[in-house]
Amino acid sequence: MTLAEENYLKAIYHLENQSSNEVSTNALAEEMQTKASSVTDMIKKLAEKNMVSYIPYQGVTLSKKGHAHAVKVVRKHRLWEVFLLEKLNFSWDEVHDVAEQLEHIKSEKLTDKLDEFLDFPKVDPHGDPIPDKYGNFETIDKTSLTDAQEGLVYVCVGVHDSSSDFLKYLDANHIGLGTTMKIIHKEPFDNSVKIKFDDVELVVSENVAKNLFLKTV
Amino acid sequence: MTLAEENYLKAIYHLENQSSNEVSTNALAEEMQTKASSVTDMIKKLAEKNMVSYIPYQGVTLSKKGHAHAVKVVRKHRLWEVFLLEKLNFSWDEVHDVAEQLEHIKSEKLTDKLDEFLDFPKVDPHGDPIPDKYGNFETIDKTSLTDAQEGLVYVCVGVHDSSSDFLKYLDANHIGLGTTMKIIHKEPFDNSVKIKFDDVELVVSENVAKNLFLKTV
DNA sequence: TTAAATATTTAGACAAAACTAAATAATCTT
DNA sequence: AAGATTATTTAGTTTTGTCTAAATATTTAA
Ligand SMILES: [Mn+2]
Ligand SMILES: [Mn+2]
Ligand SMILES: [Mn+2]
Ligand SMILES: [Mn+2]
C-alpha cells in the first residue's frame, strides 16, 4: 500500500463512519481535496487490489481487507498523536499534521512497541478511540453539544473537528477533554448554546456546538 | 525536498565523507542501488535546485544548501535510531531500516523535541555522531581494527557497516560499543586479527576488522 | 416524461522517478 | 596516437498519481 492509497482508504473509512451509505466519488474528492477524476482512477486501482468494492456510478465501500488496513493506519495515526502530546509536549492542535506523516511508517514492531511505550492508550488527544493490535476498539458513546439537553450536566469527551483553528478556539475558552459543563440555554433562533463551567457562562455558536462531543455525567 | 531527493543528498554526503573527491555517477548509482542513467537524471534536478554543483562527466558535490539539508536528514536518522533503541527497546541491528523511513518526516519541532526527549544524545547506536539543531557535531576520532597496533588495548567506539548481518555477528560474539579489547596478533597472510576481551580470544576476518572502529584507551 | 442540472467516468496530458538501449566522452593500453 | 575499454549522458519508455476537458450517466424539476 502506497501513501496515496492509504490516504484514500482512510478517507473512505471516515466517510463510511459518517453516513453508512456507499461513499460517492464527489464526497471522496471533497475529503481528499482533489478532483473527481483522480478519485475514479484511484478507486479502480483499489478495487483491482481488492481493497474496496466498486460499481461505477454507485460509489465505493471498503472490503474486509481494505477496512482492516484503514484501521491500522488510524491506529498508527492516533498512537503517534498520543506520543507527540504525552512524550514530546506538543499541544493537541499541533499533533494531527505530524501524525498525518507518521501514520504511514511501515513497521508493525514499531507500532506495537510504541503502543506499549505509551501504556496502551484507549483514546487519542481528541477523544477518538485507538484500535488495539487486532483492530478492536471500544466505541465511545457521545452526543454532540447540539443534541444536549438544557439543564443537564455533561463532560466533554471529544471533538469532531480536530483542526488547529477549532482547537485553539477551545484552548482560548478553556474548554478541553474532561471539562464539565451545564447546559444553561439553547437558543432556537441561531442554535447557539449557553453553557456554564468553572463558574463562568459562555455562549458558543452552532458551529462550535456541532463539533463538541459530550457524555452525560 | 522529496523523499527520493533526500536519499540522494544523503548518499552524496556519505560518499563525500569517504573520499573527499567529487562523487562519480557510478559510485552514486552503486550506493543508491540504481542505474547510472537514473542518477544523471536526479543530479540534474538537484543541480537545478542548487543543492549540488554538477559539471557533466566530472561528478557532483553538495552545495552549502545541499550539505545543510543532508546533515538535517542524517540528524533525524540518528535521533530516531536512538529513540528506537533507548525508548522502544529495539536492538541495534533493527533500528536502521525503520530510521530510513522516519528520517523523512518533516517537522523541525518534532526533531528538536525528540532530541530534547532523548537528552541530546551525541552518538547513535552505531557510534556515529548526531548533529545538533545547528548542524554541528563532534568528529569522533577512531581507527579501524585493521589499523590497530599489536599489543595495544582499544575500546570499540563504532561500526562502519551497520547492516543487520554484521551487527548480529557482533552480538553473537559479544562485541559491542564499549567493548575493550587487546590486539593479540595481526596475521599478514589474510589480514585477520586475533583479539582478546573478557578473557577470551577471538580471531576476526579482515572484513570484520575493516568494519570495526576503535579508540585507544 | 422530457429538459436541465448534477455526478461520474473516460480520454488525453503531465510530472516524478525509475528503466533499457544507444550514443558519446574520458581513460587506459599498447 | 590510435584503438579498446570504461564511464557517463541522452533518448525513449514505464508507472504512479495527478490534472483538464469532454463524454456519458443519473437525478431533479418543470
Ligand atoms: Mn488526527
Ligand atoms: Mn486525533
Ligand atoms: Mn542507520
Ligand atoms: Mn546509525
Side-chain angles (χ1 to χ4, degrees):
Chain A
M1 286 292 105
T2 68
L3 186 143
E5 288 167 350
E6 287 191 338
N7 282 334
Y8 272 93
L9 287 183
K10 201 173 43 134
I12 298 167
Y13 176 80
H14 288 317
L15 292 170
E16 278 188 346
N17 282 348
Q18 271 167 44
S19 80
S20 77
N21 305 352
E22 300 79 27
V23 173
S24 76
T25 300
N26 262 5
L28 201 39
E30 165 71 23
E31 176 85 10
M32 292 290 299
Q33 301 271 64
T34 187
K35 296 298 152 74
S37 55
S38 306
V39 170
T40 304
D41 288 344
M42 180 56 86
I43 282 174
K44 283 179 181 169
K45 208 178 129 196
L46 290 173
E48 201 61 47
K49 294 192 173 190
N50 293 310
M51 304 301 282
V52 300
S53 70
Y54 164 59
I55 305 166
Y57 295 98
Q58 308 229 145
V60 72
T61 51
L62 289 175
S63 69
K64 199 163 181 178
K65 200 172 142 197
H67 186 269
H69 197 94
V71 168
K72 280 181 200 212
V73 176
V74 167
R75 164 169 159 81
K76 287 189 278 182
H77 181 101
R78 294 179 181 165
L79 283 174
W80 280 116
E81 285 190 343
V82 172
F83 170 75
L84 294 171
L85 191 99
E86 304 255 298
K87 302 295 183 179
L88 301 194
N89 297 114
F90 277 57
S91 52
W92 72 336
D93 63 292
E94 296 173 312
V95 299
H96 178 80
D97 289 347
V98 183
E100 284 291 305
Q101 298 180 63
L102 287 162
E103 73 189 4
H104 300 290
I105 302 292
K106 281 157 191 48
S107 166
E108 206 160 311
K109 175 157 188 170
L110 170 58
T111 309
D112 294 340
K113 286 280 191 177
L114 180 64
D115 196 10
E116 186 186 345
F117 181 59
L118 299 172
D119 251 324
F120 306 104
K122 291 266 186 295
V123 294
D124 83 0
H126 312 105
D128 293 311
I130 302 178
D132 68 16
K133 64 179 303 187
Y134 305 107
N136 303 316
F137 58 91
E138 297 157 20
T139 47
I140 295 142
D141 82 303
K142 54 197 178 189
T143 353
S144 140
L145 173 48
T146 45
D147 299 328
Q149 274 187 271
E150 255 181 31
L152 294 190
V153 176
Y154 295 86
V155 58
C156 177
V157 294
V159 292
H160 179 65
D161 174 5
S162 55
S163 73
S164 189
D165 279 351
F166 180 55
L167 299 176
K168 277 179 178 153
Y169 165 86
L170 295 180
D171 280 345
N173 289 283
H174 308 102
I175 301 172
L177 298 198
T179 299
T180 299
M181 60 183 74
K182 183 172 181 182
I183 314 300
I184 304 299
H185 175 65
K186 298 179 75 173
E187 175 53 53
F189 173 64
D190 62 359
N191 293 315
S192 65
V193 185
K194 183 186 282 182
I195 60 181
K196 182 173 182 181
F197 61 97
D198 295 342
D199 286 322
V200 281
E201 290 191 345
L202 175 71
V203 174
V204 300
S205 69
E206 178 181 21
N207 203 347
V208 168
K210 268 192 312 199
N211 285 297
L212 266 187
F213 291 136
L214 309 177
K215 196 181 70 178
T216 47
V217 50
Chain B
M1 288 290 104
T2 67
L3 185 142
E5 288 168 351
E6 287 191 338
N7 282 335
Y8 271 93
L9 288 182
K10 202 172 44 130
I12 298 167
Y13 176 80
H14 288 317
L15 291 171
E16 279 187 347
N17 282 348
Q18 271 168 42
S19 80
S20 78
N21 305 352
E22 301 80 26
V23 173
S24 76
T25 302
N26 262 5
L28 202 39
E30 166 71 24
E31 176 84 11
M32 292 290 299
Q33 301 270 65
T34 187
K35 297 297 152 77
S37 55
S38 306
V39 170
T40 304
D41 287 344
M42 181 55 88
I43 283 174
K44 284 179 180 168
K45 209 178 128 196
L46 291 173
E48 202 62 48
K49 294 191 174 189
N50 293 311
M51 303 301 283
V52 300
S53 70
Y54 164 59
I55 306 167
Y57 295 99
Q58 309 229 145
V60 72
T61 52
L62 288 175
S63 69
K64 199 162 180 178
K65 199 171 143 198
H67 186 268
H69 197 94
V71 169
K72 280 183 200 211
V73 176
V74 167
R75 164 169 159 80
K76 287 189 278 181
H77 182 101
R78 293 179 182 164
L79 283 174
W80 281 116
E81 286 191 342
V82 172
F83 170 74
L84 294 171
L85 191 98
E86 304 254 299
K87 303 294 184 180
L88 301 195
N89 296 114
F90 277 57
S91 51
W92 72 336
D93 62 292
E94 296 173 313
V95 298
H96 179 80
D97 289 347
V98 182
E100 284 292 304
Q101 298 180 62
L102 288 162
E103 72 189 5
H104 301 290
I105 302 293
K106 282 158 190 46
S107 166
E108 206 161 312
K109 173 156 190 172
L110 170 59
T111 309
D112 294 340
K113 287 282 190 176
L114 180 65
D115 195 11
E116 186 186 344
F117 181 58
L118 299 172
D119 250 324
F120 305 104
K122 291 267 186 295
V123 294
D124 83 359
H126 313 106
D128 294 310
I130 300 178
D132 69 16
K133 65 180 300 187
Y134 306 108
N136 303 317
F137 56 92
E138 298 158 19
T139 47
I140 295 143
D141 83 303
K142 53 195 178 189
T143 355
S144 135
L145 173 48
T146 45
D147 299 328
Q149 274 188 271
E150 254 180 32
L152 295 188
V153 176
Y154 295 86
V155 58
C156 177
V157 295
V159 292
H160 179 65
D161 173 5
S162 55
S163 72
S164 188
D165 278 351
F166 180 55
L167 300 176
K168 276 180 180 153
Y169 164 87
L170 295 179
D171 280 345
N173 289 284
H174 308 103
I175 301 172
L177 298 198
T179 300
T180 299
M181 60 184 75
K182 183 171 181 183
I183 314 300
I184 304 300
H185 176 64
K186 298 179 75 175
E187 175 53 52
F189 174 64
D190 62 359
N191 295 314
S192 64
V193 185
K194 184 187 282 182
I195 59 182
K196 182 175 180 180
F197 61 96
D198 294 344
D199 284 322
V200 280
E201 291 191 346
L202 175 71
V203 176
V204 300
S205 68
E206 178 181 20
N207 203 347
V208 168
K210 270 192 312 200
N211 284 298
L212 265 187
F213 291 137
L214 309 177
K215 197 181 70 179
T216 47
V217 50

